Amino acid sequence: MTAQSTSQSTSLSMAAALNRAMADALAEDPTVLVFGEDVGALGGVFRVTDGLEARFGSHRVFDTPLAESGIVGTAIGMAMNGLRPVVEMQFDAFAYPAFEQITSHLAKLRNRTRGRIGLPVVIRVPYGGGIGGVEHHCDSSEAYYTHTPGLTVVTPGTPDDAYRLLRDAIASPDPVIFLEPKRRYWSKGEVTFEGSTPMDRAVIRRPGRDVTVIAYGPMVATALETAEAATEEGWDVEVVDLRSLAPFDDETVCASVRRTGRAVVVHEASGFGGYGAEVAARVTERCFHHLHAPVLRVTGWDIPYPPPKLEEHHLPNVDRILDTIARLQWDDEVVGVRGA
């Protein structure tokens, strides 16, 4: 995988867009480093770092031992001394051995030093299912990170956002957990290289009048497929792509829900204690008098990640989201709130 020539836009897969983002950051800033398990000569198990070691040298793009806690601890030390590490956790659940480093040190050092020391570290985490993997390879671990103050948590839903969000994450003065939906690595789309929506803002991927479907990462494409299918039922679905899970863009999300009066939150992670519970609570607290029906969720089941032959039953799909939209009290009109 090689970097493309600079242009207004070009069609790239999400994996290629991420590769281009790291290549451009490495080229522009000599303090940027990329390291992790097999990210060097192999280019990562998903080939997201393909060609970077050959282009920038093994002193800037290099392999590490299979020791995730050591990878993050090394990144913290490098960042304290003026570097900008971009590290890869090979799979979502592989990051758990590094959890203590992330939550106890990476997230807290700026506060602990009264602002004197920031840690510009990006931790890339391929996450989620849909690739026929097994447990430890398909976790949706976003809630662990979003619950930790001091961490910015973002996830792209399109190749264009993959490029822009990763560039913004690398430029951030503070740590960013960058969750990459591995099932979308090979999806293609137009990527623009100039200008972007700020990293902490959600975007409306599809406008609609009747219900807001709130999604992020791997579920953005599924939500858009649902919106198209919903037209056959007479529902005009608006799709909001959160992009940033922490901080949360209340303004964009609540403006959408106040317009439509109904909301469904969709994610792959288990429902109990999941990120969608926080979204549903915030939307209810801020939009209560505009709602026609309770905010509902479509999530993975409350089970360990299932074997490959069963994951299609675990992951939210178009039919499950449509069934949930149908439960939104369409016959009960609330006087005075429509279009408020």
Side-chain angles (χ1 to χ4, degrees), residues 24 26 66 71 73 113 157 169 191 201-202 206 236 245-246 277 285 296 336:
D24 287 353
L26 284 160
L66 305 183
I71 293 170
T113 61
V191 177
R201 299 307 298 265
R206 182 189 189 280
D236 191 9
L245 307 187
E285 290 166 357
L296 299 181

Side-chain angles (χ1 to χ4, degrees), residues 96-178:
Y96 299 157
F99 199 66
E100 196 274 339
Q101 289 281 3
I102 295 171
T103 58
S104 293
H105 303 295
L106 184 68
K108 293 182 171 62
L109 201 64
R110 180 176 288 282
N111 186 66
R112 187 180 298 155
T113 61
R114 298 183 181 180
R116 291 193 297 273
I117 298 177
L119 296 177
V121 175
V122 177
I123 299 180
R124 297 179 40 242
V125 183
Y127 84 115
I131 63 166
V134 295
E135 64 172 15
H136 289 92
H137 295 72
C138 294
D139 277 21
S140 294
S141 45
E142 59 268 32
Y144 299 141
Y145 302 115
T146 58
H147 188 65
T148 303
L151 297 177
T152 293
V153 184
V154 300
T155 179
T158 68
D160 190 49
D161 248 4
Y163 179 84
R164 289 307 331 171
L165 281 175
L166 186 52
R167 291 301 308 273
D168 290 347
I170 295 172
S172 172
D174 291 304
V176 178
I177 305 297
F178 194 91

Side-chain angles (χ1 to χ4, degrees), residues 245-269:
L245 307 187
F248 185 81
D249 182 1
D250 288 298
E251 181 181 359
T252 300
V253 173
C254 291
S256 173
V257 175
R258 286 168 186 150
R259 283 195 303 272
T260 65
R262 297 178 173 88
V264 174
V265 188
V266 183
H267 61 59
E268 288 189 10

